[in-house]
Every structure is written in C-alpha cells, then in structure tokens.
Amino acid sequence: MTEIILNTQTGKSNIHCGEGAFKEYARKLKGVKNFVVTDTNVFALYKDVIFSAFSGDAGIKILPAGERSKTYGNLISIIGEMARAGITRDCTVIAFGGGVIGDIAGLAACLYMRGLRLVQIPTTLLAQVDSSVGGKTAVDFKKVKNLIGAFYQPDEVIVDPIFLKTLPPREIRCGLGEIIKYGALDGGIYKKLSAAEDIFNLNFLGDITADCIRHKVGVVEKDERETTGLRKTLNLGHTTGHAFELYYKRKSHGEFVLIGMYYELFIAEKKGLVSGEYPSGLKKLIKSVVNVPPYKDIGEAAKLAKLDKKNSTDGKITLIAPVSEGECAEIRLGFEEYLSYLSDCAKSLEK
C-alpha cells in the first residue's frame, strides 16, 4: 500500500492507495456519525458494504447515477437530508462513488455548518486517478459545467483497486483517458504506459494510479487554486475534449479527453512545437483506447470551446497541448485559426 500526503495552505489530505486500503481505513470510520453520499449504481453493488463499513445508523443520500445529478437542486437536497439526519460539526461526510458523487458530496461537506470532515472513497478509475484528489468540488448550473463550486480538501482519500473489478469497459476507457493525460505530463508515467503489455490490466492500473496521484499532488501543492497557471496543465486535452463532449455526447469524459488530446497534438505539430517519434507514440496510446473520429459539423462543436474557463481575457482559445515526454505547452489561438486546425485534423483522419 502507498501512502501519499497532500499539503496545501487550506488543508492536508492523507491518501491511502492500493489493495486493501478500503478494508484498512474504512473500518476506522465505524463508530462515528457518518453521512454517506452515493448513487444508484454504486448502492446496488455495495449496499451491504456501505452499511457494514459505516454502521447501520449512517445517514445516506442516494442520487441517480450520472452527470445529470450534479445539480444545485440535488446539492440542496443533500444538505437538507444532512439536517434531517441530525448531522453536526463532529460528523464525517463520505463520498462513495465516482467523480459526480465526489464533486457534489465534497461541496455539501464544504457548505454544511461551514465545513465538515470529508472522506473520498472513489469507485471509478477516473475518480481514483484524478477527481478525488486535489479539492475541487462543484455542481453544474444554468447549463454551465462546475459553475458553483469551491476548493475543499478531503481529510482522507481511500483509493482501492478492488472497486475496479465491477467497472464496465467504458469506465475503464474513461479512466485511461486521464491516465494517458498524466503520461503526456510526466515522462515516467509515459514510459510505463509505452512499455506495458496490456494497459487494461487491472493490476497495472492499480499500480499506475499511485503515479498519477503523485503527479497531481505535486502540482496542487504548488498551485492549489489555479493562481500561477501550473494547475492549468492538468487540463491537457480538455479544451477541445470538453467542447466535443458537450456537442457530440455518447462517449465518456475520459474518451473525449483522449480525442481532444489527439486533435490538440495535431495543432502542436502544425505549429512546429513537437517532432520526432513522440507524436506517433502518443497517438498509438490514444488509439489503443479510443477510436478518434473525423468529426463532421466541427464548426458548431468548436464554438463551445469559446466557453472554456482557461481561455485568455482577449477571447483567444487556450489549449494545453503535449509537446514532448513530460512536457506541455500553452497555445493561444483566434477562433478561426483554431477551427481551421480542427478541420484539417478531421480531414487527415479520413485518409
């Protein structure tokens, strides 16, 4: 088991990562007043585990599974349930689920009585390698993703690969999107991915998860609230990925991150920022997880990139693109130039 500590100005997170982490650390939560937030899918799989681990009198809120549950209305509903359950300042909120549950439960913990102890127990690969660590909490509002939110560090994060065994292939691909993103940011992770016989192997995924968490911890400790620009690098592939996700839908978030990374790598190549064998190696990794489509109607999808929070104040589209092993670059483009590059990339995929 790997122990990782995240220290920031606002708090400290103890991250327990590896096989047996849930059994070892969840039992320490028994005997105290807990409030569990989960979703219908996770509850169906782990109902007995939840009540056994956190005692039968734990308060619980079960949300419908999926991104559509990450709403202001559900946030207020969670807080209302906490009040009805008699939750007080000495209680613990447990986010037991994927990224949506971690985001909304984390924000509820932040707001209720000005802050309760928070424990994240991520059950998806994406949440384990990325969203459960770093303190970002939020809900969507007025059709804008993560419009209402706060930075609120969990006291503990329990990352156990045992939960990966119940994930469908789509969720594994989704998590690999973020893992390959970390590979583009970290030379050591890139080498492990490139050398792996099977990146879908659960033992491999459990091992590389700790590497991804260490990278993120190093970034967050230096730029918790995205004031220096360093944490922005964690959004590599996300500008185009988010735009495509909003417009084309159907695929998972992680798959769209990979597709966005492919298109933005193409832009970096055309800008002369990347060369040699690296682009072909990264493209091979991306295509081993997801088919990169030559999207049609790409102009309408590209318009959604104008809404990205990373964009510069002069309105230019801002990308974080991979350029070499462990290195990325910020690229700023006017909309027409950005659209032209996306169209050229789509045409190249038709060949």
Side-chain angles (χ1 to χ4, degrees):
M1 194 181 309
T2 302
E3 299 291 335
I4 303 169
I5 297 175
L6 168 62
N7 280 302
T8 69
Q9 290 182 340
T10 61
K12 172 184 174 182
S13 289
N14 292 293
I15 305 161
H16 318 293
C17 184
E19 189 173 350
F22 180 77
K23 183 178 181 180
E24 174 69 20
Y25 289 98
R27 63 184 177 85
K28 296 180 180 180
L29 298 169
K30 198 168 186 176
V32 298
K33 183 70 173 178
N34 296 307
F35 189 89
V36 179
V37 182
T38 189
D39 68 32
T40 48
N41 288 350
V42 175
F43 189 71
L45 288 167
Y46 295 111
K47 175 182 177 180
D48 292 341
V49 171
I50 290 171
F51 288 127
S52 172
F54 310 124
S55 73
D57 63 345
I60 189 166
K61 177 68 175 179
I62 305 167
L63 298 177
E67 181 74 22
R68 291 183 178 180
S69 284
K70 212 171 85 170
T71 65
Y72 176 77
N74 279 334
L75 172 67
I76 298 304
S77 177
I78 291 169
I79 292 172
E81 290 288 345
M82 290 166 69
R84 281 188 286 275
I87 298 300
T88 55
R89 288 289 297 275
D90 58 348
C91 298
T92 298
V93 174
I94 299 170
F96 194 99
V100 168
I101 292 300
D103 279 1
I104 194 169
L107 187 54
C110 173
L111 295 174
Y112 190 88
M113 293 186 173
R114 298 178 180 169
L116 301 185
R117 185 170 184 267
L118 171 65
V119 175
Q120 293 273 4
I121 305 179
T123 59
T124 65
L125 181 58
L126 183 143
Q128 290 193 359
V129 300
D130 189 67
S131 63
S132 65
V133 175
K136 282 189 174 182
T137 70
V139 293
D140 305 335
F141 189 67
K142 299 290 185 181
K143 297 184 179 180
V144 179
K145 193 174 178 69
N146 300 327
L147 186 64
I148 301 173
F151 292 95
Y152 192 69
Q153 298 297 341
D155 293 81
E156 290 186 87
V157 185
I158 301 172
V159 180
D160 196 320
I162 191 172
F163 297 115
L164 304 183
K165 295 177 181 179
T166 58
L167 294 181
R170 174 187 171 93
E171 284 296 329
I172 297 295
R173 293 195 302 272
C174 182
L176 274 165
E178 293 291 344
I179 289 172
I180 293 173
K181 176 199 78 176
Y182 282 111
L185 294 170
D186 185 298
I189 296 174
Y190 179 76
K191 285 182 171 63
K192 278 191 176 182
L193 286 165
S194 300
E197 292 183 5
D198 178 13
I199 62 173
F200 289 85
N201 180 276
L202 294 186
N203 291 328
F204 171 78
L205 293 174
D207 177 61
I208 205 166
T209 292
D211 297 317
C212 296
I213 291 172
R214 284 192 197 94
H215 182 92
K216 185 169 188 178
V217 164
V219 171
V220 173
E221 285 186 335
K222 296 172 184 174
D223 185 23
E224 180 184 15
R225 294 176 176 266
E226 297 184 330
T227 55
T228 69
L230 180 61
R231 190 164 183 172
K232 191 190 291 187
T233 63
L234 299 178
N235 289 307
L236 185 146
H238 282 61
T239 300
T240 303
H242 272 161
F244 285 178
E245 184 178 3
L246 288 168
Y247 188 77
Y248 296 112
K249 301 180 173 62
R250 296 188 180 180
K251 296 183 185 295
S252 69
H253 170 74
E255 290 171 306
F256 275 116
V257 167
L258 288 176
I259 293 168
M261 193 187 309
Y262 187 98
Y263 274 77
E264 292 177 10
L265 177 59
F266 177 90
I267 294 172
E269 286 184 277
K270 293 301 180 182
K271 299 285 282 184
L273 297 174
V274 58
S275 60
E277 297 180 1
Y278 176 69
S280 60
L282 185 55
K283 288 176 184 177
K284 182 180 178 181
L285 276 174
I286 291 170
K287 288 184 174 182
S288 71
V289 176
V290 64
N291 175 49
V292 181
Y295 280 123
K296 307 295 183 184
D297 201 19
I298 209 163
E300 292 302 309
K303 288 178 184 178
L304 295 171
K306 293 180 178 181
L307 305 175
D308 196 276
K309 64 180 182 295
K310 297 184 298 299
N311 290 341
S312 57
T313 54
D314 60 4
K316 288 190 174 181
I317 307 296
T318 301
L319 316 174
I320 308 298
V323 295
S324 64
E325 286 189 29
E327 298 290 336
C328 61
E330 183 173 310
I331 303 173
R332 296 182 181 183
L333 303 169
F335 178 73
E336 293 303 324
E337 184 182 12
Y338 174 63
L339 175 58
S340 177
Y341 280 129
L342 293 186
S343 299
D344 288 346
C345 184
K347 289 176 184 175
S348 74
L349 288 163
E350 293 175 348
K351 297 176 181 178

